[in-house]
Amino acid sequence: MNYQRMAIEKEAPEEVGLSIKYNLSESAISDQTLNSLQISIPQSTALTYTEHRGSIKLRTIIAEASNGLTPDHVLITAGASTSLFIILTALLGTQSHLIATRPNYTSSLEIPRSIGCDITFVDLEFGTQFSLDMEKVAAAIRPGITKLISICSPNNPTGTTCTNADLCNLADLAREAGAYLLIDETYVPLKYSSEPGGSEQEPATSSSGYLGKNVVTVSSMSKAYGVPGIRMGWLSTTDPALQELFLAAKEQISISGSVLDELVAEQILSRRSELLSASIADLQRRRDCVAAWVAEESEWVEWVRPDAGAMCFIKFKKEPHGGVEAFYARLLARYGTYVGRGTWFGAEDTYFRLGYGWPTWDHLKTGLGLLSKAFRG
């Protein structure tokens, strides 16, 4: 493995520090507290190892909210990033071929690069609403050589989603080629409803593992529940051999998870519908706020309206005053505002991720106003 620090981590808000006043770079809802989530940790809790697969209660809650999975199909990990590390390092080697969509969550791009495998990127184009071009995926497949197809849906950073038909077609393409399909589903719980009053309906179920044994999915609690500090994620597969392989990798990395993290996760996920319904309703209002801002600044920027998540991917229509690099420097130094540069996700810096779920309403509105000023100088 040839490790290098990722730009998204080197330039993460917690690394940049106090110069950020209006943080519009995050891709989650606002950070929660033990009090806000009504978490109770009994003082008698034994600080011991958990079940290596994760507590049966936690895996059962996750499986019950998924399509056709059982607790045995779920492996708890320290966040989706660890799930991705386990899957990619277990399935890929230096002689492997990977197909990955781009832009994408950075770990899905950087881990394969660190491994040294052959990567074919299928770019999601702004002109086609960041939709997945199935013909490009099919053309990139090398039968008997391609090991894995990797996508993120709903996508980070665009907030756009693949259709169910696309997911089925991808699973079939991978199966016919003797390959696996990896789907990062972290934002599935934050899918918006297109129906009037849809924020009150049951949140979307997670996991496309039902698509077949060659499909592996990952998810996390960091984004949808605002708890990145508990490092709680999972992977799912209906293939017993893969599940055993991934468990072996987890045991060599950490043996088990944190008993405290899993206890907190159980309590949060037991209130899944209640918490997600409130978050989705708030995110839809915030998305409308950003939509109004994009319309006002249509001389400078454009977007593809997101279907899910807590962020969008803004594209410059014309160069900001002084150029793109000067814009990013000015935005932080003069206006104390921060967004996620496109290169964090394998795109150009003429795009940026704008997170609208994490800041307070006041900071979101102020930050949008300061972005407008930074475009102009």
Side-chain angles (χ1 to χ4, degrees):
M1 297 287 287
N2 178 21
Y3 293 114
Q4 294 181 22
R5 291 191 72 198
M6 299 178 288
I8 192 173
E9 303 304 344
K10 289 191 292 184
E11 299 169 13
E14 61 271 18
E15 295 292 300
V16 173
L18 297 177
S19 57
I20 301 174
K21 185 174 181 181
Y22 303 101
N23 184 3
L24 274 59
S25 71
E26 301 289 356
S27 56
I29 69 166
S30 60
D31 294 336
Q32 301 300 297
T33 67
L34 296 177
N35 284 339
S36 71
L37 292 169
Q38 304 171 28
I39 301 299
S40 174
I41 300 178
Q43 293 299 302
S44 60
T45 300
L47 303 180
T48 185
Y49 292 111
T50 61
E51 298 171 60
H52 292 191
R53 297 180 187 275
S55 79
I56 184 61
K57 180 177 179 180
L58 180 56
R59 289 185 289 120
T60 298
I61 294 171
I62 292 168
E64 288 176 348
S66 303
N67 288 319
L69 297 183
T70 72
D72 288 341
H73 297 147
V74 178
L75 178 66
I76 304 300
T77 64
S81 56
T82 301
S83 289
L84 290 170
F85 185 87
I86 287 172
I87 295 163
L88 293 169
T89 56
L91 296 182
L92 299 175
T94 57
Q95 303 304 309
S96 302
H97 176 238
L98 164 74
I99 300 171
T101 56
R102 190 174 57 178
N104 205 325
Y105 180 59
T106 314
S107 293
S108 295
L109 307 177
E110 184 62 21
I111 295 170
R113 188 210 60 78
S114 299
I115 293 169
C117 67
D118 189 4
I119 308 172
T120 298
F121 294 110
V122 174
D123 289 322
L124 308 178
E125 304 288 350
F126 182 89
T128 57
Q129 305 287 289
F130 295 122
S131 61
L132 182 62
D133 189 325
M134 297 299 298
E135 292 184 0
K136 287 185 179 179
V137 176
I141 291 175
R142 305 173 192 172
I145 298 175
T146 300
K147 186 72 173 180
L148 187 66
I149 301 171
S150 173
I151 70 167
C152 179
S153 179
N155 183 266
N156 182 4
T158 69
T160 56
T161 59
C162 289
T163 65
N164 287 335
D166 281 344
L167 293 178
C168 290
N169 289 336
L170 278 173
D172 289 342
L173 280 174
R175 188 179 305 108
E176 291 166 4
Y180 296 101
L181 172 62
L182 169 60
I183 309 174
D184 182 341
E185 298 186 320
T186 295
Y187 291 96
V188 164
L190 293 182
K191 279 187 178 180
Y192 305 146
S193 171
S194 59
E195 301 298 325
S199 59
E200 299 300 321
Q201 70 182 33
E202 183 72 11
T205 55
S206 297
S207 186
S208 302
Y210 67 92
L211 292 172
K213 285 188 174 182
N214 69 316
V215 178
V216 185
T217 66
V218 306
S219 193
S220 167
M221 293 184 65
S222 298
K223 310 300 185 180
Y225 298 94
V227 288
I230 68 169
R231 308 310 305 140
M232 180 55 56
W234 55 89
L235 63 83
S236 64
T237 173
T238 59
D239 186 328
L242 277 185
Q243 188 67 238
E244 191 72 8
L245 174 65
F246 298 151
L247 174 60
K250 176 186 176 180
E251 288 174 331
Q252 293 185 39
I253 294 169
S254 62
I255 301 177
S256 69
S258 160
V259 64
L260 296 178
D261 289 356
E262 294 191 9
L263 179 60
V264 171
E266 289 168 6
Q267 294 182 47
I268 295 172
L269 291 178
S270 67
R271 299 172 56 212
R272 173 182 178 275
S273 294
E274 170 196 351
L275 294 171
L276 292 179
S277 293
S279 293
I280 291 170
D282 181 56
L283 287 169
Q284 287 177 312
R285 291 190 294 270
R286 288 166 175 264
R287 180 183 59 173
D288 290 343
C289 175
V290 176
W293 173 78
V294 171
E296 290 173 1
E297 295 296 348
S298 59
E299 175 189 356
W300 295 90
V301 296
E302 55 189 335
W303 75 336
V304 175
R305 189 178 176 90
D307 305 312
M311 70 282 162
C312 56
F313 212 35
I314 302 293
K315 179 179 183 291
F316 280 115
K317 291 175 70 173
K318 71 176 187 179
E319 189 174 85
H321 179 76
V324 171
E325 285 300 321
F327 159 76
Y328 287 115
R330 179 170 62 246
L331 182 65
L332 180 58
R334 184 180 301 175
Y335 298 109
T337 303
Y338 205 54
V339 294
R341 300 168 67 120
T343 45
W344 288 4
F345 315 99
E348 299 295 324
D349 277 342
T350 49
Y351 293 85
F352 60 86
R353 184 176 73 184
L354 192 157
Y356 52 81
W358 188 87
T360 65
W361 267 97
D362 179 63
H363 277 205
L364 173 60
K365 292 176 180 178
T366 301
L368 291 173
L370 292 173
L371 273 165
S372 296
K373 290 184 177 182
F375 295 158
R376 294 164 171 84

